Amino acid sequence: MALLAGETAATAAQETSDRTTTYPTTTVAKNTGPQAAGPRSVARPRLDGLDVLRGAAVGAVLLGHSWPGVFQGAGIIGVIAFFVLSGYLITNVLLRDIEQHRRIRYGRFYAHRAFRLVPALVSFLGVYAIVELSTDVLGDRSKGIVGYTVLAGLAYLKDLPLPFDVSMAIGPLWTLAVEEQFYLIWPALLVLALRRNRQGRLIGWSAAVAVFLMAVSVLAMLVFAPQLHSLVYALPTTWGLGLIIGSALRLYRIHVFGWLAGRYVRLVALLGSAAVLAALAFFPKANETPAFFFAGGPLAMAAAAVLVALAASRTRPMPAWTRPLQLLGTISYAAYLWNYVVILWLNGGSTADLPPLVAVSAIAATLLIAVISWHTVERLGRIARIRFDAYYARRRATSP
């Protein structure tokens, strides 16, 4: 994802790989538009609490993939956490651009997204194509769908109904598609809302539209085609509310952080939100149950938003015992990309009835591949981004 993708992987914002994060200290004044926001920002250290949250989210996805009979709701809980976190971070990046440069630099924004996401995605799809064309482990070569699968993955189309079949190997890429489609729409809407000081209306209408479309699609599924629950599950409107909630959290974070200022309030909020998400991880048939679409999902989004707010407002370093989750959060994107297909390859093309040895081996292999990805192809993306920024700065300095 962006999670996430995450990211996930669930997720994919610039802060995922930055050593420092800049947080704007101003807001756009009424009737002044984003042009009035001056570049008054302060740098603060990378928030390791967000890495812990990423690690917990991708950990939930790994549990859901490896023991689906037990952790029936864990996968979508992890994805929802990635969506909320991604909405928060992407809106932070956009607001920072507006505050520092009085506009969104769209070219730089989308270039950064590409440098972060594309190298690992291309390597994943490339290895998938080589393995399937040479060995046909999943039967995709025989079905003639390897090319279609690569196309759907690269074009971020896995969340939409397609006129051709694709491999189950890229099933988790639907979350990345949802996030990328959000990135195409949200920046322009945010700028328009800020210019007119209509942020509240933007959040309200966006949430209302997302909920309405989700309700319509779920009800249509129940009435006309109950067997299409997997299609409805992956639609961008089904869980898009999480991205909107994360964006709202960033827009109104001063108020939210104020609500969570007390020590005991923070403790109760942490334990309560974690307990809600842990309980929902065992929700039976979460990917096809209307009760989860209408109640469990929004509840998980609210709990995830509380955890994001707690992590983003924390001023002290995280405890040492959270270090493994921080490290897992760092490599969460590649772990999310690879885990499902690794399970398929190790278990003969099936994710059902995984032997314990296969499940554990798949997690170990996933983590190894994710570490390699972080230090190779993803590192190349980070280097390319640095060089791009240097070129961008030189070009700005020499332009009239």
Side-chain angles (χ1 to χ4, degrees):
M1 132 132 26
L3 223 231
L4 114 215
E7 154 9 296
T8 120
T11 240
Q14 180 179 346
E15 282 79 1
T16 303
S17 57
D18 285 346
R19 288 297 94 195
T20 59
T21 304
T22 304
Y23 288 83
T25 58
T26 62
T27 55
V28 179
K30 184 175 181 179
N31 298 327
T32 59
Q35 292 81 2
R40 295 192 292 115
S41 300
V42 294
R44 58 184 293 184
R46 175 187 174 95
L47 298 176
D48 50 11
L50 297 183
D51 281 330
V52 171
L53 185 55
R54 289 187 188 95
V58 78
V61 172
L62 297 181
L63 290 176
H65 285 171
S66 301
W67 292 278
V70 178
F71 303 101
Q72 297 189 45
I76 188 57
I77 290 301
V79 166
I80 286 173
F82 275 122
F83 280 160
V84 175
L85 180 57
S86 182
Y88 179 91
L89 292 174
I90 286 300
T91 302
N92 181 63
V93 170
L94 296 172
L95 289 178
R96 182 173 59 190
D97 224 17
I98 293 172
E99 298 242 353
Q100 292 181 345
H101 303 280
R102 301 183 180 181
R103 62 187 177 89
I104 292 177
R105 297 170 295 173
Y106 288 99
R108 183 177 181 274
F109 173 76
Y110 290 116
H112 275 210
R113 304 282 71 73
F115 290 136
R116 177 66 185 98
L117 301 176
V118 172
L121 178 63
V122 169
S123 65
F124 163 71
L125 292 173
V127 172
Y128 155 78
I130 292 172
V131 171
E132 286 304 307
L133 290 175
S134 60
T135 66
D136 203 20
V137 176
L138 306 179
D140 294 346
R141 183 186 66 190
S142 303
K143 299 174 186 175
I145 62 173
V146 174
Y148 291 129
T149 299
V150 173
L151 173 63
L154 288 176
Y156 294 100
L157 299 174
K158 188 60 184 67
D159 62 329
L160 302 175
L162 298 173
F164 47 81
D165 292 331
V166 298
S167 173
M168 67 174 67
I170 66 165
L173 295 193
W174 72 268
T175 62
L176 303 182
V178 170
E179 289 192 0
E180 289 307 300
Q181 291 154 16
F182 178 77
Y183 298 164
L184 292 176
I185 299 172
W186 188 250
L189 292 178
L190 181 62
V191 167
L192 183 62
L194 288 174
R195 284 176 177 172
R196 300 181 179 182
N197 197 31
R198 295 292 186 268
Q199 302 92 304
R201 291 188 181 182
L202 171 63
I203 295 298
W205 278 105
S206 299
V209 169
V211 171
F212 173 77
L213 293 177
M214 182 273 290
V216 169
S217 62
V218 172
L219 293 176
M221 173 197 74
L222 290 174
V223 174
F224 300 109
Q227 73 278 9
L228 295 182
H229 58 82
S230 61
L231 175 62
V232 174
Y233 175 79
L235 288 176
T237 52
T238 302
W239 311 110
L241 180 62
L243 289 159
I244 298 169
I245 289 176
S247 300
L249 175 61
R250 173 56 188 89
L251 285 169
Y252 297 100
R253 68 177 183 180
I254 294 177
H255 301 287
V256 177
F257 289 1
W259 300 336
L260 299 172
R263 177 181 178 184
Y264 293 106
V265 171
R266 293 177 65 87
L267 179 60
V268 171
L270 172 62
L271 296 178
S273 299
V276 167
L277 294 177
L280 290 174
F282 297 94
F283 198 103
K285 297 183 178 180
N287 64 334
E288 57 184 273
T289 304
F292 192 86
F293 292 145
F294 286 109
L299 182 60
M301 294 172 194
V306 172
L307 293 182
V308 171
L310 290 172
S313 62
R314 184 181 176 89
T315 57
R316 293 180 297 172
M318 293 295 292
W321 63 266
T322 65
R323 183 61 177 166
L325 281 178
Q326 293 180 42
L327 295 176
L328 181 57
T330 301
I331 61 171
S332 59
Y333 176 46
Y336 181 81
L337 284 177
W338 283 95
N339 181 243
Y340 198 72
V341 73
V342 167
I343 290 175
L344 291 173
W345 283 338
L346 292 180
N347 201 46
S350 173
T351 59
D353 301 321
L354 290 181
L357 181 60
V358 172
V360 174
S361 298
I363 291 178
T366 296
L367 297 180
L368 177 61
I369 294 172
V371 170
I372 294 173
S373 174
W374 174 258
H375 289 288
T376 56
V377 293
E378 293 179 72
R379 180 174 181 270
L380 292 177
R382 295 191 293 273
I383 293 173
R385 190 190 69 196
I386 292 172
R387 293 181 177 178
F388 171 84
D389 285 346
Y391 167 78
Y392 196 95
R394 290 195 302 269
R395 185 175 178 181
R396 288 194 65 211
T398 56
S399 62

